[in-house]
């Protein structure tokens, strides 16, 4: 017998109740009434517990593709806490709908947290790739490309935001991408150079092979990892 959803809500709000698999499974494939109940109760779930719920849901989706937690993750994308919104972005990896795309576009450009903006840009990279492969509306993918290019080139932009913008746009075949990667690889910031090496791989362009091989011996562990 399925657990009533009001009991699920109470269990989520009670920090003494373990976040077990059977409890979290009830958050999959929610009906309209359950979505409304969750929306009204979401703020009553303690902050860190909301974040932990999202992390657990992301792991569960890795193991079971039949689960659909989109009602939870889409709600959490609007959370007031930065780390919860960031966790929601990570947990939305399987949701490639225009609804999530539009939310990520907003988060990438106007979110108050630079770490959330960076995470949103990373997530937009999969939409850019899907557009390249003909699996997502190319006009929408083009919008994401334009945002990534603009934020990468934005004077004084946060380094992490610029890095993720570069990594996202590397999924595109646009001609300006090569120069962006070259400039990033010449950066004085080791983290940006690491992102440049990552971006080289995303292009699937064999011309970068010599650099990748050379960076396998880099003194910087992050660059070695990306190579």
């Amino acid at each position: 017998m399925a657990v009533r959803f009001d009991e699920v809500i109470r269990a989520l709000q009670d920090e003494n109740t373990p976040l077990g698999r059977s409890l979290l499974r009830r958050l999959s494939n929610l009906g309209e009434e359950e979505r409304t109940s969750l929306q009204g109760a979401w703020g009553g779930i303690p902050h860190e517990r909301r974040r932990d719920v999202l992390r657990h849901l992301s792991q569960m989706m890795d193991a079971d593709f039949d689960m659909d937690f989109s009602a939870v993750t889409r709600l959490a994308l609007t959370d007031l806490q930065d780390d919860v919104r960031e966790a929601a972005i990570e947990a939305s990896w399987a949701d490639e709908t225009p609804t999530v795309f539009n939310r990520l576009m907003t988060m990438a450009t106007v979110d108050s947290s630079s770490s959330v903006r960076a995470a949103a840009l990373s997530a937009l990279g999969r939409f850019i790739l899907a557009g390249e492969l003909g699996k997502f509306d190319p006009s929408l993918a083009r919008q994401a490309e334009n945002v990534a290019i603009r934020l990468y080139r934005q004077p004084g932009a946060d380094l992490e935001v610029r890095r993720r913008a570069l990594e996202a746009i590397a999924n595109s075949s646009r001609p300006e991408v090569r120069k962006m990667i070259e400039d990033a690889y010449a950066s004085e910031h080791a983290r940006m150079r690491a992102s440049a090496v990552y971006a080289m791989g995303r292009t699937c362009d064999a011309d970068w092979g010599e650099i990748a091989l050379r960076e396998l011996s880099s003194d910087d562990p992050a660059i070695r990892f990306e190579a």
Side-chain angles (χ1 to χ4, degrees):
M1 181 176 177
V3 179
R4 295 201 337 254
F5 199 67
D6 60 335
E7 296 176 352
V8 172
I9 294 294
R10 284 196 294 272
L12 290 174
Q13 293 175 334
D14 181 5
E15 292 183 281
N16 294 318
T17 300
L19 294 174
R21 188 176 182 84
S22 59
L23 171 63
L24 296 175
R25 283 184 66 90
R26 278 290 280 114
L27 297 176
S28 177
N29 297 291
L30 296 184
E32 189 60 38
E33 186 175 334
E34 292 172 331
R35 291 169 186 253
T36 301
S37 296
L38 181 64
Q39 183 174 0
W42 183 253
I45 302 172
H47 163 205
E48 292 185 359
R49 193 164 168 87
R50 297 199 304 275
R51 183 196 61 207
D52 291 344
V53 165
L54 291 161
R55 291 175 176 172
H56 282 300
L57 297 186
S58 183
Q59 293 170 2
M60 289 173 68
M61 284 188 291
D62 275 336
D64 189 345
F65 293 112
D66 290 331
M67 292 186 180
D68 177 5
F69 297 116
S70 59
V72 184
T73 55
R74 292 181 189 183
L75 173 60
L77 289 172
T78 65
D79 199 280
L80 295 178
Q81 298 294 334
D82 297 349
D83 59 344
V84 176
R85 294 197 304 283
E86 191 169 349
I89 292 172
E90 296 298 325
S92 299
W93 60 266
D95 193 342
E96 295 187 342
T97 60
T99 297
V100 168
F101 170 84
N102 289 328
R103 180 61 192 163
L104 290 172
M105 287 283 283
T106 300
M107 297 174 83
T109 53
V110 301
D111 197 277
S112 59
S113 165
S114 59
S115 63
V116 172
R117 294 198 303 276
L121 280 163
S122 289
L124 285 172
R126 73 176 184 267
F127 290 93
I128 293 173
L129 177 60
E132 284 282 319
L133 299 176
K135 297 180 179 179
F136 188 69
D137 186 334
S139 64
L140 293 180
R142 185 78 173 185
Q143 292 177 30
E145 293 170 6
N146 292 339
V147 164
I149 292 172
R150 175 169 61 82
L151 293 177
Y152 173 76
R153 292 175 172 171
Q154 189 174 72
D158 181 86
L159 178 63
E160 197 67 16
V161 170
R162 295 187 65 237
R163 289 182 61 206
R164 302 312 175 194
L166 178 69
E167 293 173 6
I169 195 59
N171 291 293
S172 168
S173 58
R174 288 173 63 156
E176 55 261 63
V177 171
R178 185 177 187 87
K179 181 64 165 58
M180 293 168 65
I181 294 175
E182 290 173 347
D183 290 345
Y185 186 60
S187 171
E188 63 182 9
H189 300 288
R191 286 185 296 159
M192 181 59 83
R193 294 198 299 275
S195 287
V197 175
Y198 172 89
M200 292 173 190
R202 298 304 298 170
T203 67
C204 297
D205 186 341
D207 288 349
W208 299 114
E210 184 177 338
I211 293 176
L213 288 172
R214 182 170 68 243
E215 293 297 2
L216 288 172
S217 301
S218 171
D219 293 335
D220 187 298
I223 293 178
R224 285 201 310 275
F225 175 83
E226 298 301 352

